[in-house]
Amino acid sequence: MSSAVVMDLDSVPARAVLQALPQPVMVLDEARRIQFVNYAAEAFFGASLSVLTRQSLDDLIAFGSPIISLVETVVQRRAPMTEYRVRVGSSRFGDERIADVFASPISDTDGRVAVLIQERTMADKIDRQMVSRGAARSVTGLASMLAHEIKNPLSGIRGAAQLLEQSVPSDEVPLARLIREETDRIVGLIDRVEVFGDERPMEREPINIHVVLDRVKLLARNGVARGITFYEEYDPSLPPVFGNRDQLIQIFLNLIKNASEALERTQKPEIKISTAFRPGIRISVAGVAERISLPLEIVIEDNGPGVPPDILPFLFDPFVTTKTNGSGLGLALVAKIVGDHGGVIDCDSRPGRTRFRILLPVASGAFQNSADVEEGSPV
């Protein structure tokens, strides 16, 4: 970086303003060489200012990225431009990230361009989850309307199949048993869908989430996750969550069961459970005037093959599944229970690493942090 640029940035409050921004900002010259990055950009790319200023944008961003053509256009037109939902790939990090990219000329006298990157993370994921909950509510209405009408004839079919098992020749008994078993499976599916319509008040109390996670881990090690190595990374100072113990156990047991099934063909299967306090996540929900803070983070991570990219955006929708014989209701139910607790859940997946992150509110009065910074947009 030239001394002239250093003096230019240091001589005005602009440098301090750029450093204070939570979004990554880069300043490029006309040849797209990096002249300045703020702290957020250093964190985003995982490199220091001194390392990044020895590179050009072409070295940093994946070949063919629309960000490069965006900067070229801004230099030519001398006018600000924006690209929304751009896939940002870089040699500095492995996975692609989705971001909105804003580029603007710094002045009319030179070809320098400022580039700001707004990563699309929690806002998009929360929005998708609200859509999933809407789909779940639609399924609920349909189930409530049809459950009674469907269960009555199914009961008759099951009874008839039981009688057939006792009266048909032995070679036809498997067919009668198949009718009974499939009838039971359909009834079980309807029962699971009906759970979405349960609007009874939930009994809640302050709960130590680590006690819940230890219970889930004990159950899983002796059942669905036998033979899988567990790792824990707990924040011991985590305040209690205001929740229902049994339903919280159901959430995490379901997630670990899914992870265990995904690890069936993985050598050295591992599941990592971590907790942390993350002030800064706040959302708006219907019926509540104030934004709700969601500082409790619980992550279930596995080293399995990952979720197919075409399914990932719809993972919490009812009847969406990657399993051959799956019902597609497990994760939809998890999302409903998390939502009933006032929290949100999201999934980040790539081959070799899948992370389910749950954000929950603390129990009232357990912890106050007036310095919370809002993230994302109102939902």
Side-chain angles (χ1 to χ4, degrees):
M1 180 161 46
S2 69
S3 58
V5 172
V6 173
M7 292 301 295
D8 180 43
L9 290 173
D10 284 340
S11 62
V12 294
R15 185 185 183 94
V17 171
L18 292 177
Q19 293 290 21
L21 288 175
Q23 294 87 5
V25 176
M26 297 182 291
V27 175
L28 314 172
D29 67 12
E30 193 167 358
R32 297 195 295 278
R33 291 187 294 265
I34 299 172
Q35 297 191 323
F36 169 79
V37 296
N38 65 353
Y39 298 139
E42 292 182 74
F44 183 82
F45 291 107
S48 66
L49 174 68
S50 61
V51 170
L52 292 173
T53 50
R54 292 197 294 268
Q55 301 183 56
S56 70
L57 182 66
D58 302 61
D59 299 325
L60 189 63
I61 299 296
F63 176 78
S65 170
I67 298 177
I68 295 175
S69 59
L70 174 68
V71 172
E72 287 179 342
T73 305
V74 169
V75 171
Q76 293 169 2
R77 296 184 179 180
R78 304 281 185 176
M81 295 187 66
T82 302
E83 284 277 358
Y84 292 99
R85 300 185 184 278
V86 176
R87 292 188 177 274
V88 182
S90 171
S91 58
R92 307 300 310 185
F93 48 79
D95 54 335
E96 286 188 333
R97 303 173 183 178
I98 305 299
D100 298 336
V101 182
F102 309 87
S104 176
I106 291 181
S107 71
D108 295 330
T109 59
D110 58 38
R112 289 184 299 162
V113 175
V115 177
L116 183 146
I117 300 172
Q118 174 67 62
E119 190 174 4
R120 304 295 303 177
T121 52
M122 277 305 298
D124 278 355
K125 290 173 180 177
I126 291 172
D127 183 61
R128 284 202 303 268
Q129 191 171 137
M130 294 304 174
V131 172
S132 297
R133 290 179 191 171
R137 283 192 293 271
S138 298
V139 172
T140 300
L142 180 63
S144 299
M145 180 178 64
L146 296 179
H148 180 72
E149 297 300 325
I150 292 176
K151 281 185 175 180
N152 278 345
L154 285 177
S155 177
I157 292 171
R158 190 185 191 284
Q162 283 182 303
L163 292 174
L164 285 173
E165 283 186 64
Q166 301 170 12
S167 59
V168 298
S170 58
D171 60 333
E172 296 181 6
V173 169
L175 292 176
R177 185 178 299 121
L178 177 64
I179 295 172
R180 177 175 55 81
E181 291 173 350
E182 285 301 291
T183 301
D184 289 340
R185 187 179 67 83
I186 295 171
V187 171
L189 181 63
I190 294 172
D191 288 339
R192 293 188 69 188
V193 173
E194 282 188 299
V195 172
F196 289 97
D198 188 355
E199 299 295 340
R200 290 174 298 176
M202 185 187 354
E203 294 184 4
R204 299 167 70 181
E205 60 183 345
I207 295 174
N208 184 335
I209 197 65
H210 296 138
V211 173
V212 169
L213 293 173
D214 286 341
R215 175 71 174 178
V216 168
K217 188 174 59 177
L218 178 63
L219 292 171
R221 277 179 166 168
N222 291 281
V224 295
R226 188 180 289 110
I228 295 176
T229 302
F230 279 82
Y231 295 94
E232 300 88 33
E233 190 174 298
Y234 292 168
D235 179 349
S237 64
L238 215 61
V241 62
F242 189 58
N244 180 283
R245 180 179 178 274
D246 291 341
Q247 291 199 7
L248 289 172
I249 288 175
Q250 183 179 0
I251 289 171
F252 295 109
L253 193 58
N254 196 314
L255 291 176
I256 288 180
K257 177 178 179 292
N258 282 357
S260 302
E261 292 172 349
L263 291 169
E264 287 179 352
R265 299 183 181 179
T266 301
Q267 294 183 348
K268 297 182 179 179
E270 298 174 354
I271 294 177
K272 179 181 177 182
I273 306 174
S274 60
T275 64
F277 190 86
R278 305 291 189 196
I281 307 297
R282 306 184 71 169
I283 66 169
S284 294
V285 296
V288 179
E290 297 181 355
R291 287 185 172 230
I292 297 176
S293 179
L294 305 176
L296 304 187
E297 178 188 80
I298 305 98
V299 175
I300 308 295
E301 179 177 331
D302 67 70
N303 63 336
V307 179
D310 57 330
I311 291 180
L312 190 59
F314 315 103
L315 198 57
F316 299 103
D317 287 358
F319 305 117
V320 174
T321 181
T322 59
K323 304 172 189 175
T324 304
N325 298 316
S327 66
L329 291 174
L331 288 177
L333 182 57
V334 165
K336 178 192 182 295
I337 296 174
V338 172
D340 290 344
H341 280 77
V344 295
I345 180 172
D346 67 73
C347 178
D348 176 38
S349 183
R350 64 171 185 261
R353 193 205 73 177
T354 297
R355 300 175 76 247
F356 283 91
R357 180 172 70 149
I358 293 175
L359 300 172
L360 294 170
V362 300
S364 179
F367 189 89
Q368 297 294 331
N369 186 354
S370 60
D372 279 353
V373 179
E374 297 176 5
E375 176 175 315
S377 57
V379 178

